[in-house]
Amino acid sequence: MYDAERTKYLERNGFEATRLKAVLFDMDGVLFDSMPNHARSWAQVCTEFGLTMTPDEAYLHEGRTGAATINLLARREWGRDATPEEIARIYDEKCRLFNACPEAPRMPGAADVLRRVKDAGLTIVVVTGSGQRSLIDRLEHNYPGFFHRSLMVTSFDVRHGKPDPEPYLLGLERAGVQPWEALVVENAPLGVEAGAAAKVFTVAVNTGPIPPEVLTRSGADLVLPSMAALADTWGDIYSTFA
Ligand code: CA
């Protein structure tokens, strides 16, 4: 069913065939419906520090490190780089606001996707720009039995965050697979760019307010409207890429 998408992917990357062994999942906006909290806390901290970011803009920056996001806004609105002190103050406050938000619920459909991927015998990897130390506990609590500490890439593990391919390249390495043996599941333009730059077939699940064309332009090989849609179509995806 996805033969056309697979052929395009193989041609673009110069690969011969796919042989699915692992699925690399982004976390925020894919496994957890956490983006409304991020978007709200970014909008609020910007207002407090004399910068502006609408909640919708926050979705476009999703996946960028906090420091890079703050610097981008400072250049745009102050006409200069933010100092390390400013970055630390703003980012600390953003984290404080985010942590005060109610805990993000599981993304609808995500548990079904994980179940199907696991039942197919594939390796599950989490590749997130997040740097919360309690990450694995939270994953284990919400999705018991699917994740392993050694199969996670967080902001502590990489020098360059998304859209650099480094996080996904490290995810492939941890799973012990090649790019044509994996899929990336992402929701944000910068994350999609990172997956495509790592030469992995990248499925964008559009769980936020972004027009789907933006995800296609960022390099998504396939755009689906939700994790529930990915669960529904998993059989076709698996039979195409296995
Ligand atoms: Ca995300």
Side-chain angles (χ1 to χ4, degrees):
M1 181 170 173
Y2 293 109
D3 291 336
E5 287 85 353
R6 185 189 55 184
T7 302
K8 248 171 96 177
Y9 160 78
L10 291 172
E11 281 174 0
R12 192 179 62 248
N13 292 291
F15 297 149
E16 296 279 304
T18 55
R19 193 177 48 197
L20 193 55
K21 293 181 179 174
V23 181
L24 281 52
F25 290 93
D26 170 49
M27 190 178 73
D28 287 310
V30 168
L31 299 175
F32 293 105
D33 194 8
S34 35
M35 281 310 296
N37 287 349
H38 279 293
R40 238 191 332 263
S41 39
W42 271 118
Q44 190 177 336
V45 75
C46 284
T47 306
E48 287 175 20
F49 283 86
L51 294 165
T52 48
M53 174 157 34
T54 62
D56 277 12
E57 189 189 350
Y59 282 83
L60 297 174
H61 294 301
E62 189 199 338
R64 219 185 278 289
T65 63
T69 303
I70 291 161
N71 222 11
L72 189 144
L73 297 174
R75 279 192 208 135
R76 183 176 77 194
E77 297 179 31
W78 298 340
R80 61 169 177 84
D81 284 346
T83 64
E85 293 74 26
E86 285 168 335
I87 288 173
R89 280 211 340 267
I90 296 172
Y91 193 61
D92 283 355
E93 174 66 359
K94 191 264 168 186
C95 292
R96 194 189 65 76
L97 291 167
F98 179 76
N99 289 330
C101 291
E103 190 170 329
R106 301 198 302 179
M107 183 63 76
D112 292 336
V113 173
L114 291 170
R115 164 72 47 212
R116 283 162 209 213
V117 169
K118 192 178 176 185
D119 286 350
L122 306 178
T123 302
I124 293 173
V125 184
V126 175
V127 178
T128 176
S130 173
Q132 298 161 35
R133 296 200 180 268
S134 58
L135 222 68
I136 185 71
D137 299 331
R138 190 159 156 249
L139 282 168
E140 188 55 35
H141 175 74
N142 283 279
Y143 297 105
F146 289 110
F147 297 98
H148 194 273
R149 199 177 292 274
S150 66
L151 293 170
M152 288 183 64
V153 176
T154 73
S155 68
F156 298 115
D157 300 313
V158 294
R159 260 158 50 93
H160 303 289
K162 302 169 187 178
D164 193 277
E166 187 185 348
Y168 281 112
L169 292 174
L170 187 56
L172 292 171
E173 194 183 310
R174 296 213 164 147
V177 301
Q178 300 296 323
W180 60 87
E181 296 175 326
L183 297 177
V184 161
V185 181
E186 263 289 350
N187 71 305
L190 294 172
V192 166
E193 271 184 53
K199 301 190 171 190
V200 182
F201 188 97
T202 300
V203 179
V205 286
N206 195 9
T207 59
I210 293 171
E213 313 81 80
V214 175
L215 294 163
T216 305
R217 272 203 304 275
S218 300
D221 296 286
L222 179 64
V223 181
L224 297 172
S226 63
M227 285 297 272
L230 176 55
D232 288 343
T233 194
W234 172 255
D236 292 326
I237 291 178
Y238 182 67
S239 61
T240 304
F241 290 90

